[in-house]
Each structure stands twice: as C-alpha cells, then as structure tokens.
Amino acid sequence: MPRFEPFRALRFATSSLDTVIAPPYDVLSDADVDALEARSPTNIVRVDVPRGGPDRYRRAAETLADWQRRGVLVPDATETFTIYRMRFTDAGGARRNLAGVVGGLELTDPGSGGVLPHERTTPKASTDRLDLTRATRANLSPVWGLSLASGLTALLDEPAEQVGRVMDEGVEHAVERVSDPDRIAAIRDQLAADDVLIADGHHRYAISRSYRDEVRAATGRTDTAAEQTLAFVGELVAEQLSVEAIHRLYDDVSLADLRAALATRFELTPLPEPTPATLAAMQAEGFLVLVGPDRAERLTPRAGAFDGVRSLDGVWLEETLANVPASVSYQHGLGEVTAAVRDGRATAAVLIRPVSVDEIERTAREGLLMPPKSTFFTPKLKTGFVIRQLGD
C-alpha cells in the first residue's frame, strides 16, 4: 500500500488568496496567464508557467526563492496535512461537497501496485514539467488521487484550522491545516489501508517519478523528499465526485469513411443539433452522437455488436474504428466540440457518456486501464494553496 506523508507546506502569507492562486498549468491559455499575472506580481503562474527563453526555469526558481526570502511564501512550523474542500453545483444541478487531503504520495513504479493509473496516457514529448521541477526543486501542482479505502471522508468531516478560501466560477475552494499528531496519524494510516487510483495528473506523477530516479542516481539515497509527490487524495465515493466526459474529435479521414465504419456497429439516425438535453438523453437511453459540420446523428449500438467488449464508450469507439486511419484528439465541453467541427478544426466528433464511479472502481480493482482521456474530474484543483519543497 502507498505511503502518504505530511510535510512542511509552503503557503502564501497573504489573506487575498484569490490574487495569487491559479488553475492548473495544463488548462491555461496564454490569455489566461496574462490575466493571472495582471492580478498580482506574486501570482503562482509566474513560477508554475514561466515564460521566455531557455532561462525561464532558472528565473522561476529565483522567483520562488525570492518570495521565500521576502516572506511572500511561509513554511508551516511543523509537518502538516491540508484538507482541501470544494463545494459546488455540478453540470446536472446536484449540489456536491468534495473533501480530500493534500500530502506527499509515494512514487511507485509501474506494475508494482499501491498507486494505480486508471487510463492509458497519451505520449507527451515536452520536458517542461521535469525541467521546472529540476530548477525549482518543488512540487507546485497536485496530482489528484482517489483512495479505494473506505472511511477517509469521515476522518475529514471535522473542520481543521482554516488557512484559505477562494470563490471562483461558483465553486468554493477552502483549505484547512491539520497539525494535530493524532489526526495526522489517523489520516496517514487510513490512506495506507488500500490502493490509491490516479484520477488526474498521470503525466505529473510520471514526471515526479523521473525526478525521483535522478535524485536516487545522484545521491544514492532513497529517503529524500523526492520519493513522494504532492497529491490531493479523496475517497472514491459517487456522491462527492463529478465526472464528465471527454469527447472525441476525428481528423485525417472523410466524414463518409467515418460514417461507414461506425455503421458496422451502430445504427445511425438523424438528430437535431446537440444540446445539454441531448447529453442527458444519451445517459438515460444509452446512445452516442456523431457530430458533422452540417448534421448530427444518433449512434445506437446494434444488437450484439459489443458482446464481449467492456461497456465503455471509449472502448467501443476504439474497437469500431481500429482499422480507420484517422487522427483522434480529445475535447471537453459540448460547445467546444461543436465549434471545432463547425470551424473545420476537425472533420467530425463523437459525443460520449461520462464513466460512472462504479466503473472507475471496477476497472481499478481488476487491474485494467481505460482508453486515454476517459474521464474529466471537475472542478479542477487550484495551484498555489500548497507548495511542497523537494530540497533539504
């Protein structure tokens, strides 16, 4: 089972956290970064999303060190955990209260258990995150993990010392410091009782493992802070989690060829332009939707077409289009998907249904992997509430 350890968290000293906290780096456009930098000269994006030439990582490290010297960032007096709560209304109108704990999650090797991926990952050639970690010697953005051990939520129910709260787009993000040794021990022991599934941040976790290996090679040690990475871990419970779909965009293929391939396993019938009501109907009635530049069609699985195939939309599409030489990319959000097709950035798209929490757990327990980009956990965790240092 994985180790999950407290650490001396580095935190912003300001009470105006909304000026210094940011969304995770991988959802930010250049315009987003401009806006965040304009909020404050000490917004975390100045470290987490450094700009400029080859020296940008060195400058990010210098900025991080300067903020510590000036008291912009202050370390906790002792090793702590951080309870991170998000309160929000999901896309279906349900009110949710999500609670997890931020700490240092053990970095395990692929296949060794303890920390499990839940989907295959797409290759990323960029070394940006590894270069930034080398320079700053810090974990800035947390991995999102889901504990398969029941009981974590109950341990987090009691409020701890509040250290920050931010409202953003209708979501309340609140963090509380846990410094009581008995409560720290209880949380640590609970998370050691079962595996942790990576929900979001597979790439960040892999980069942290690469950095760990570099530290081991350089020092000969296996007891440094690089043995863990910054992680938010919550319990895998359906009432807390909001899981949305990531739809498929297809290119380098004609619409006629794509339709012909889909027709081998699906019945295609015309639909009006998709709306949020269409997404709800997809879940209730069990169909997918093909979106073309001037038409939409309902994709209803043919009888027996997927016998012996796991009941996941992403798997169905992989099976159906295995011999179609198309390029596939991934997009969250109905409006963004239809715009990509309408603007010619994709030949067509297929809208799929969100994966259920039960299916996520079943997949993990059976040691299987979903197709890439099968799940989109919302809301996204903020960067900057907690920074974990990797140096001595």
Side-chain angles (χ1 to χ4, degrees):
M1 300 301 108
R3 297 195 315 276
F4 190 75
E5 301 292 344
F7 60 91
R8 290 186 67 196
L10 195 60
R11 306 179 193 270
F12 280 100
T14 181
S15 58
S16 301
L17 286 176
D18 58 318
T19 65
V20 295
I21 302 303
Y25 72 94
D26 52 358
V27 303
L28 296 176
S29 66
D30 286 341
D32 293 331
V33 176
D34 288 340
L36 289 162
E37 288 183 342
R39 285 188 187 178
S40 171
T42 57
N43 189 281
I44 190 62
V45 293
R46 296 177 183 272
V47 175
D48 195 39
V49 191
R51 292 161 137 180
D55 68 338
R56 62 187 181 277
Y57 303 111
R58 175 185 58 80
R59 289 188 287 104
E62 291 173 351
T63 298
L64 185 63
D66 176 62
W67 290 355
Q68 292 178 72
R69 283 193 299 269
R70 294 195 287 122
V72 173
L73 290 168
V74 178
D76 284 349
T78 61
E79 292 187 340
T80 60
F81 281 136
T82 300
I83 299 175
Y84 187 152
R85 306 185 193 277
M86 289 187 282
R87 302 178 179 94
F88 61 100
T89 300
D90 68 17
R95 187 67 184 164
R96 296 188 184 271
N97 293 301
L98 192 159
V101 59
V102 179
L105 178 64
E106 181 182 4
L107 295 162
T108 64
D109 295 319
S112 63
V115 179
L116 311 174
H118 87 280
E119 61 186 24
R120 301 195 310 275
T121 55
T122 53
K124 292 190 178 182
S126 172
T127 62
D128 170 71
R129 290 295 103 181
L130 183 55
D131 289 339
L132 185 62
T133 304
R134 288 167 176 156
T136 60
R137 300 177 73 192
N139 297 143
L140 302 168
S141 295
V143 171
W144 187 334
L146 297 170
S147 174
L148 301 184
S150 61
L152 177 61
T153 300
L155 287 177
L156 304 181
D157 278 346
E158 181 183 343
E161 176 194 356
Q162 184 163 315
V163 291
R165 178 180 175 275
V166 169
M167 288 294 299
D168 183 54
E169 298 183 346
V171 181
E172 178 187 6
H173 301 259
V175 288
E176 302 161 8
R177 175 166 40 217
V178 178
S179 54
D180 175 70
D182 290 339
R183 193 171 188 189
I184 286 174
I187 292 171
R188 182 176 54 213
D189 292 348
Q190 181 67 34
L191 283 168
D194 206 339
D195 294 333
V196 170
L197 181 69
I198 297 177
D200 193 11
H202 291 81
H203 182 61
R204 261 166 275 173
Y205 189 83
I207 287 297
S208 292
R209 190 165 50 217
S210 296
Y211 180 76
R212 176 207 67 183
D213 292 344
E214 291 180 357
V215 172
R216 284 180 174 180
T219 66
R221 295 171 56 187
T222 58
D223 61 350
T224 71
E227 297 293 317
Q228 295 94 37
T229 193
L230 182 67
F232 163 93
V233 181
E235 189 172 347
L236 182 60
V237 286
E239 59 266 25
Q240 289 196 48
L241 296 172
S242 173
V243 187
E244 299 181 15
I246 305 181
H247 308 295
R248 274 45 180 164
L249 299 176
Y250 294 97
D251 209 351
D252 300 321
V253 63
S254 70
L255 180 58
D257 287 345
L258 189 63
R259 291 185 73 252
L262 290 168
T264 62
R265 298 206 184 195
F266 296 91
E267 295 178 5
L268 280 68
T269 53
L271 272 181
E273 182 175 347
T275 67
T278 308
L279 301 179
M282 288 168 58
Q283 293 192 67
E285 300 172 31
F287 65 91
L288 287 64
V289 175
L290 173 65
V291 180
D294 57 5
R295 73 171 99 175
E297 294 173 282
R298 174 177 175 140
L299 300 175
T300 304
R302 296 184 183 277
F306 295 106
D307 287 351
V309 179
R310 292 174 62 212
S311 186
L312 287 173
D313 293 356
V315 175
W316 286 0
L317 290 173
E318 285 188 343
E319 289 277 332
T320 304
L321 303 176
N323 297 317
V324 177
S327 300
V328 60
S329 56
Y330 308 91
Q331 178 63 60
H332 168 258
L334 176 61
E336 291 83 354
V337 169
T338 55
V341 176
R342 184 176 58 248
D343 299 345
R345 287 176 282 133
T347 300
V350 175
L351 304 177
I352 67 174
R353 297 165 294 172
V355 179
S356 71
V357 171
D358 286 345
E359 183 61 34
I360 292 170
E361 181 170 8
R362 185 179 78 84
T363 299
R365 294 293 189 189
E366 294 179 3
L368 302 173
L369 293 177
M370 296 180 186
K373 305 294 184 182
S374 288
T375 53
F376 187 82
F377 289 84
T378 62
K380 292 299 182 183
L381 303 168
K382 296 294 187 183
T383 294
F385 277 129
V386 182
I387 296 170
R388 181 172 179 270
Q389 296 180 285
L390 297 170
D392 293 330

